[in-house]
Amino acid sequence: MGGLWSILGLVFKSILGVAGGRTASNAPAEYLTGSAGGQSCVCGIAGFGSDGQDIATTIKDRLADFSRYEFSSIPQNIIISADAVDPFLAIQDAQNLAWNAALRQNCTALLWGDVASDKSRLDLRFASKQVAFAPHALFLAQQYRFTLPLAEDFTQSIGLLLQTENLYRADDPVQRIERLSELAKSLENQQDRILNRDVIGECGDGIVFCFATAALALAENGHRGWCQLASDALEPMVASCFGIDKNVDRDGLARMIPVAGANSREPLLPDQIALLALYGHLLNWAALGSAASRVSMLAVEIWRLLYHRFEYVAGARVAKIICQLRLGEACCVCAREAQNPDLAAEALHHLRHALSDNDRKAYPVLYALTAYHLGDALIAHGELAGTGLLYDSILPFFQATLKVCSRTENLYLWGRAMFALATVQAMQGWDDGDVGILRTAKMNFIQAQQNLEQAGARSAARTAMGGQMRIDAQIAELLGRDGNAAPVKSQQQPVKA
């Protein structure tokens, strides 16, 4: 009986965070604070071959201060096959193998890779739940290079990856906002170093890729303010990818990349694909808030190159869809800036093909993203080509996005789609003089605001609130408080979200 009470005592001590006669910090609270949805965060560290026997231990020691994560050694070396038809597909298979190894050991992430033959460099890869996330398929080949011996910048950079992974797994609005704030603070602490080429040369370009990956994660949750800085930091590597002078400015890069791509006879390598995809994603997000046409036009050229890389590759269906989706998105933004209806038509062409090639059941988020951007491209084309907006043709695409993607699992995308649906409905209600449609649009703006707030996108949520206020003014004008307004049409059946 005494043994039972001793065991219970140890259990209570472990729960309360009391150990060895001293009061520890609130261990359970710290553990749960760092987890997503109350789940533990465990990062596995795979073997690095015979040349990297001590690397796994060194990495584990370097990351020991991350109290929110447990680190576990995985006794397995992940090997990239040399027999695959396409090297990108070989990386894809290796990443899937790494993620399966992580799941078998109950890990939420896995670090794996190789040590250079001269032991001067560590080529690290990162596997997490995002490996199975279709919109991020082009990032599978991303490699983070760090100079050996590992320095403090390595620890901070891997910390960014872990924070990013934790953000993507957050399923609670309060927790998500906390993660966003912490990640933005970490980027702020490192922004000076990632623009210093001497630091990058000394520590390895892995610090830039980690920074850019974290910046993209923030953008996909409604905070795109870091995209411009991250894309600037990647540009010297993008230039080197095409044999262009690292010091060339963005205008020069936009002029030279199409020529360099057309003259290249060798297909883009996996690392180059990951670099250009990350750069292209950041440019797409940056273009939304930039008045400089060179940003969106450069994005168009990047995605054209990537699309041609996968256009005829067997087994790369998802990669091709992503390239067409992002190319259509970039063309749409560029079309609006340049007032070019031909670019808008090109956007429609790529997005329609991407949607028809997609499988909404297998890749729901990718399908939802494509439908959302196709609806946006139809608006841009109607405005620029002078054909007007065919509301009955546009609304179903935003409604499809809302139907396919989960409101709770895809907070920001769902909020954006609902905002777009409400915007189009507001335009239709005003054009038709229909108060019923305007009231439906107002309710959809309210739902969009709620989701955007839960996603942590407070700026977008305020914009949705502004949409509600504009609709109130329009309804008041149509109803004619002074009795002199134009007649209002009978209320139509509200459009369902």
Side-chain angles (χ1 to χ4, degrees):
M1 190 69 179
L4 173 63
W5 288 112
S6 298
I7 293 173
L8 289 176
L10 291 173
V11 170
F12 284 123
K13 287 181 180 181
S14 65
I15 293 175
L16 296 174
V18 179
R22 62 183 179 84
T23 302
S25 57
N26 193 342
E30 287 184 2
Y31 187 77
L32 292 176
T33 301
S35 63
Q39 301 172 357
S40 60
C41 300
V42 182
C43 180
I45 303 174
F48 290 87
S50 58
D51 291 333
Q53 293 177 348
D54 298 329
I55 292 296
T57 302
T58 302
I59 293 175
K60 194 172 182 179
D61 292 341
R62 280 286 180 186
L63 302 178
D65 291 337
F66 286 91
S67 59
R68 293 178 173 179
Y69 270 83
E70 292 181 3
F71 295 93
S72 173
S73 297
I74 306 297
Q76 181 174 349
N77 296 331
I78 311 300
I79 305 298
I80 300 174
S81 173
D83 299 328
V85 176
D86 191 299
F88 179 82
L89 300 180
I91 293 287
Q92 186 180 58
D93 292 341
Q95 278 283 38
N96 289 331
L97 179 63
W99 180 230
N100 289 332
L103 291 177
R104 286 196 298 270
Q105 299 294 329
N106 296 319
C107 296
T108 55
L110 179 69
L111 294 170
W112 65 282
D114 297 296
V115 177
S117 57
D118 60 358
K119 299 184 181 181
S120 64
R121 188 183 73 243
L122 171 65
D123 296 332
L124 199 66
R125 300 185 189 274
F126 186 68
S128 69
K129 185 179 179 181
Q130 296 305 107
V131 169
F133 188 52
H136 287 180
L138 294 180
F139 302 146
L140 291 176
Q142 186 61 72
Q143 191 167 224
Y144 307 91
R145 293 185 174 91
F146 295 97
T147 303
L148 292 175
L150 300 176
E152 183 63 27
D153 288 274
F154 167 83
T155 307
Q156 295 175 356
S157 297
I158 299 302
L160 286 177
L161 291 183
L162 296 177
Q163 285 182 284
T164 299
E165 186 270 337
N166 213 7
L167 172 61
Y168 279 126
R169 291 194 304 116
D171 54 9
D172 176 79
V174 175
Q175 200 172 62
R176 183 184 301 275
I177 293 172
E178 290 178 355
R179 300 288 176 272
L180 287 168
S181 177
E182 291 173 359
L183 187 55
K185 183 64 176 178
S186 297
L187 289 178
E188 184 178 348
N189 292 337
Q190 289 185 245
Q191 60 181 334
D192 293 333
R193 297 186 71 77
I194 63 103
L195 289 176
N196 190 323
R197 295 188 186 179
D198 291 336
V199 172
I200 297 171
E202 180 181 348
C203 302
D205 58 23
I207 65 175
V208 179
F209 285 113
C210 291
F211 186 96
T213 300
L216 179 62
L218 286 176
E220 292 181 336
N221 285 274
H223 299 262
R224 59 176 183 264
W226 292 97
C227 291
Q228 186 65 55
L229 177 62
S231 61
D232 288 345
L234 287 174
E235 274 175 14
M237 283 168 274
V238 172
S240 296
C241 178
F242 296 102
I244 300 172
D245 182 9
K246 291 183 179 182
N247 297 313
V248 69
D249 60 16
R250 182 165 286 177
D251 290 324
L253 198 60
R255 291 192 303 269
M256 296 178 186
I257 280 181
V259 177
N263 293 337
S264 177
R265 296 184 179 181
E266 297 295 328
L268 293 170
L269 297 175
D271 291 357
Q272 295 172 323
I273 291 170
L275 164 62
L276 295 179
L278 182 56
Y279 183 61
H281 274 80
L282 291 168
L283 287 180
N284 277 21
W285 280 108
L288 294 177
S290 174
S293 59
R294 59 195 174 96
V295 175
S296 54
M297 197 63 228
L298 182 54
V300 169
E301 298 299 343
I302 291 291
W303 288 113
R304 278 179 180 158
L305 285 175
L306 288 171
Y307 169 63
H308 291 315
R309 169 62 173 79
F310 291 105
E311 189 173 6
Y312 301 109
V313 176
R317 176 186 174 189
V318 172
K320 179 182 174 182
I321 292 172
I322 293 171
C323 292
Q324 286 197 291
L325 159 62
R326 298 306 179 185
L327 175 55
E329 178 187 2
C331 284
C332 185
V333 175
C334 194
R336 284 195 169 104
E337 291 180 356
Q339 295 293 294
N340 187 334
D342 292 335
L343 271 175
E346 183 180 349
L348 288 177
H349 169 78
H350 290 298
L351 289 165
R352 281 175 173 147
H353 277 278
L355 194 66
S356 64
D357 291 343
N358 211 330
D359 185 338
R360 63 186 297 174
K361 292 183 179 179
Y363 312 110
V365 180
L366 188 58
Y367 185 95
L369 273 169
T370 309
Y372 170 84
H373 286 293
L374 182 51
D376 186 47
L378 284 169
I379 296 173
H381 186 264
E383 292 173 342
L384 296 173
T387 58
L389 301 185
L390 303 177
Y391 298 113
D392 291 340
S393 299
I394 296 171
L395 291 171
F397 291 104
F398 296 129
Q399 291 167 340
T401 298
L402 296 167
K403 183 178 180 180
V404 172
C405 76
S406 168
R407 180 173 185 175
T408 55
E409 294 180 8
N410 305 282
L411 287 169
Y412 184 55
L413 174 57
W414 198 95
R416 289 181 74 195
M418 183 58 82
F419 179 89
L421 177 66
T423 300
V424 177
Q425 288 173 334
M427 296 165 67
Q428 180 185 24
W430 178 252
D431 289 346
D432 293 350
D434 194 314
V435 173
I437 295 180
L438 286 175
R439 285 174 175 159
T440 300
K442 180 181 177 180
M443 292 302 299
N444 288 338
F445 270 127
I446 292 173
Q447 292 187 76
Q449 179 189 348
Q450 292 172 346
N451 253 60
L452 292 170
E453 286 178 345
Q454 290 180 358
R458 293 174 177 171
S459 177
R462 288 193 295 269
T463 305
M465 183 181 295
Q468 300 168 39
M469 297 171 65
R470 286 193 301 273
I471 288 181
D472 284 336
Q474 290 174 336
I475 291 175
E477 184 174 345
L478 287 176
L479 291 177
R481 291 178 178 175
D482 57 359
N484 297 323
V488 178
K489 295 184 180 181
S490 59
Q491 295 185 9
Q492 301 178 1
Q493 186 71 20
V495 180
K496 296 182 180 179

